[in-house]
């Protein structure tokens, strides 16, 4: 899930290069939602090039805070 991936990215050193196709899709969803800024491969290059997460946006940080504040 993209939000689980966002939690993972939170604890990584940025920029973060991802090569797994599922992770690249997660990054694309997070970019579309405005939660991260990243460099994504063009569709034609998607199988050959990685995605690079540059930063978590303020909106993304807010979502991470909200996830931590939710009771289980």
């Amino acid at each position: 899930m993209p939000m689980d991936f966002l939690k993972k990215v939170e604890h990584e050193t940025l920029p973060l290069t991802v090569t797994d196709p599922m992770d690249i899709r997660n990054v694309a969803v997070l970019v579309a939602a405005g939660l991260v800024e990243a460099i994504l491969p063009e569709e034609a290059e998607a199988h050959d090039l990685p995605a690079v997460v540059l930063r978590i946006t303020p909106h993304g940080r807010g979502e991470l805070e909200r996830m931590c504040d939710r009771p289980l």
Side-chain angles (χ1 to χ4, degrees):
M1 294 193 73
M3 295 309 286
D4 291 333
F5 187 78
L6 181 62
K7 285 192 248 181
K8 177 183 166 190
V9 169
E10 178 183 28
H11 301 288
E12 298 290 334
T13 302
L14 299 177
L16 173 66
T17 300
V18 294
T19 57
D20 180 84
M22 180 60 80
D23 289 344
I24 292 171
R25 282 190 286 273
N26 285 331
V27 172
V29 170
L30 294 172
V31 167
L35 301 177
V36 300
E37 289 182 5
I39 300 168
L40 293 167
E42 297 293 324
E43 276 190 50
E45 305 169 332
H47 297 289
D48 298 326
L49 295 176
V52 180
V53 179
L54 302 173
R55 74 182 191 105
I56 299 173
T57 65
H59 180 60
R61 296 266 176 218
E63 287 299 315
L64 285 167
E65 283 184 31
R66 270 190 284 279
M67 285 190 291
C68 289
D69 290 342
R70 289 185 184 150
L72 297 177

